[in-house]
Amino acid sequence: MKAKNNFNENSCQTWFPNLTLKSILLIALVWFNIQTPAQAQEVQYTKPSWWFGVAGGANFNFYEGSTHQLTSDFTPPVVFHEGKGIGLFVAPLIEYYRPETRWGFMFQAGYDNRKATFDQVDSSCNCPTDLKTNISYITVEPSLRFAPFKSNLFLFAGPRVAFNMDKSFTYQLGINPAYPNQAPTPEVKGDLSDMNKTIISMQVGLGFDIPLSSQTSKTQFVLSPFASFHPYFGQDPRSIETLNITTIRAGVALKFGQGRLVTVPEDKVVVVADPEVQFSVSAPANEPTKVRVREVFPLRNYVFFNVGSTEIPSRYKLLKIEEVKDFREDQLEMVTPINQSGRSERQMNVYYNVINILGDRMIKNPSTTITLFGSSEQGPQEGKAMAESVKFYLVNTFGIKGSRITTKGQSKPNIPSTQPGGTLELDLLREGDRRVSIESSSPVLLQEFQSGSDAKSAAAIPLQEAPIESYIVFDVKGANEAFSAWSIQLVDETGKLQTFGPYTQESVSLSSKSILGDKTQGDYKVTLTGQTKSGNMVTKETTSHIVLWEPAKIEEGLRYSIIYEFNASKAITIYEKYLTEVVAPKIPANGKVIIQGHADIIGNDAHNLKLSQARANDVRTILESALSKSGRSDVKFEVSAYGEDPNQSPFNNKYPEERFYNRTVIIDIFNNGK
């Protein structure tokens, strides 16, 4: 049946697009050869703004919906729904766009075929039925053109107005395969009825311009492959039923335009002058003093678990058995540049090693024991399963004896974040209560983290060689073309003259020591003297302040911090004792203490700002009281409060452990008020 219904229309359709594409390429080649100029190299033309040409390609048509009644007199016994086919598109075109702009305009109008073959449908007599349509239009397609990168790639979009010119169809009722000897039913050919004479739809696409000629040609050619999409809305070919067409078009356009001559008139004499040069001196200043703080980090004795899981979260650093022997707590360096105005760059590297630090300390202190309290909103059983996960890791990875670790489960931790009657931000609070708390009667296991030693080395810093970035740079842009050689003369405040050179490169770097000698700084008049390749002498002058390079000084400081409980502004007893007995004695005579109060994101901004201020003042009061009892009043305090400000908070607020550490006061201690 299918073989019978394949008629010459398809073969013609295949030949026609191929012939059109070959014709386009042939025309491009002929025009290109004709227009190649036999003219001097100095002749140059602008890129055209107006382009004319022809576009050709294939329409890949997809029919959906349904069609039943083909004409007012003929309705087949079946309904056709889906079809597809390839039709020819060919149209002359006009484009306008200035080469230096992104926007332009396109217009094309021509032949647009939307033919299709529908999916075969079996009739009630079990006879296959076929339908082919050959719908075509005269299409008018104005479009806006946009080149997003001012390059050869461009996008276009606009309306499509189509006027129907062909609406023919071919219908064939086949033979029931059970009765192959039946005489075939003649094809029914005709024109579809109830056709919309005019349809208005849209199209959007992209293309790429490939130049075929250079700007030495007045007439310039461009080959532009393109693809466009014509959605179904607006593309209802008939005023009855629900048939609609979606089309994807792919093709190529050949365009030509004429540029304007931009050569210098031959009757004018061009005088070639010596090339210009640009002279500058870059004399960098010394780097300011760098401040570093070595941090003592409070180790929160909690391991937080994700909702619905009793496994240790992947954000915690978990070692393999063979890595334990190489793990050392003091390898986790916590030296941070002080940054009062910017967000802290340090991450929670120490905290995410909390289980490894605990395991390392238990190995070093074999008589110590711990109790793991697992707290889960699902009840004590899941809480104990969370505690068992931590125990399993310590036993199987660090080799800690199981008898040294006790696990318990409970619904809420001993100090819960959620409070009776609370209604706000309960999800964040419950995340903080879903944890395993580590408790021990041995303080050594849970003491604060501190890398390195408190002792500062008094050894002399070796003399550093001046880095290349500190050199004085003399830039003479254009010297390679303008000068055969050049030199530099420097005159200081006393009239002392120094000469450097001659040089042939465009940039020269000299150390500040070679210019200043025994001086630490000075103001200089700098004169460039260059001999041009034509024999002329050129001079340029400028001034510069030059300083002797010195290694950057590093001012060391100490950073301590304590953690507050949720919504609390009074330090717990252990931290009050810590501030009094550990931190206060570390403040040097005439020292400076910078105190910063912070809060997490739970609660409103105004409340958290007041809360962080109260925490910072609480720390200052404790430290001042401790110093006063020692007869000291020589310390300068600076107190700041940042609330939950994300640009100032020490940590992020994504995970509960980060929110716990943001309930903090940070104390920075410096010598001599620095």
Side-chain angles (χ1 to χ4, degrees), residues 543-671:
T543 59
S544 180
H545 179 74
I546 299 175
V547 299
L548 185 66
W549 180 84
E550 295 178 352
K553 296 179 181 178
I554 297 179
E555 183 70 27
E556 295 281 355
L558 289 175
R559 171 172 287 181
Y560 297 91
S561 54
I562 64 171
I563 302 172
Y564 283 77
E565 296 300 328
F566 174 70
N567 207 32
S569 60
K570 291 294 181 183
I572 60 176
T573 302
I574 188 173
Y575 278 133
E576 184 172 354
K577 184 177 180 181
Y578 176 73
L579 289 169
T580 301
E581 298 180 3
V582 177
V583 179
K586 296 291 178 66
I587 303 175
N590 300 311
K592 180 178 181 179
V593 179
I594 299 175
I595 299 174
Q596 306 171 54
H598 299 275
D600 63 19
I601 59 170
I602 300 175
N604 63 59
D605 292 357
H607 174 77
N608 285 335
L609 183 61
K610 292 179 181 178
L611 182 63
S612 63
Q613 184 71 60
R615 288 170 175 170
N617 290 333
D618 182 49
V619 169
R620 175 173 182 168
T621 299
I622 294 171
L623 291 177
E624 283 184 331
S625 176
L627 292 170
S628 177
K629 290 178 182 178
S630 302
R632 295 184 55 190
S633 59
D634 59 333
V635 177
K636 180 181 179 181
F637 287 89
E638 287 186 7
V639 179
S640 302
Y642 299 108
E644 63 181 70
D645 185 350
N647 296 317
Q648 301 290 346
S649 59
F651 303 97
N652 295 315
N653 282 283
K654 180 178 179 180
Y655 296 113
E657 52 267 33
E658 294 172 329
R659 296 192 288 273
F660 268 68
Y661 273 106
N662 276 335
R663 301 165 191 161
T664 185
V665 172
I666 298 174
I667 307 109
D668 290 327
I669 300 174
F670 297 99
N671 284 303

Side-chain angles (χ1 to χ4, degrees), residues 61-78:
N61 306 313
F62 302 91
Y63 280 68
E64 291 185 342
S66 63
T67 187
H68 189 195
Q69 179 181 341
L70 300 182
T71 70
S72 57
D73 300 325
F74 177 63
T75 301
V78 296

Side-chain angles (χ1 to χ4, degrees), residues 403-431:
S403 59
R404 297 174 60 189
I405 304 173
T406 303
T407 60
K408 296 182 179 181
Q410 53 194 31
S411 298
K412 287 188 176 182
N414 296 334
I415 306 178
S417 297
T418 54
Q419 303 296 320
T423 59
L424 299 178
E425 300 184 271
L426 294 180
D427 288 344
L428 296 180
L429 294 173
R430 287 167 183 157
E431 282 185 13

Side-chain angles (χ1 to χ4, degrees), residues 348-374:
M348 301 195 70
N349 183 41
V350 172
Y351 179 74
Y352 286 136
N353 275 279
V354 62
I355 312 177
N356 300 325
I357 293 172
L358 176 64
D360 187 48
R361 290 178 179 179
M362 291 186 75
I363 290 174
K364 294 175 181 176
N365 301 274
S367 63
T368 57
T369 61
I370 61 172
T371 300
L372 303 176
F373 291 91

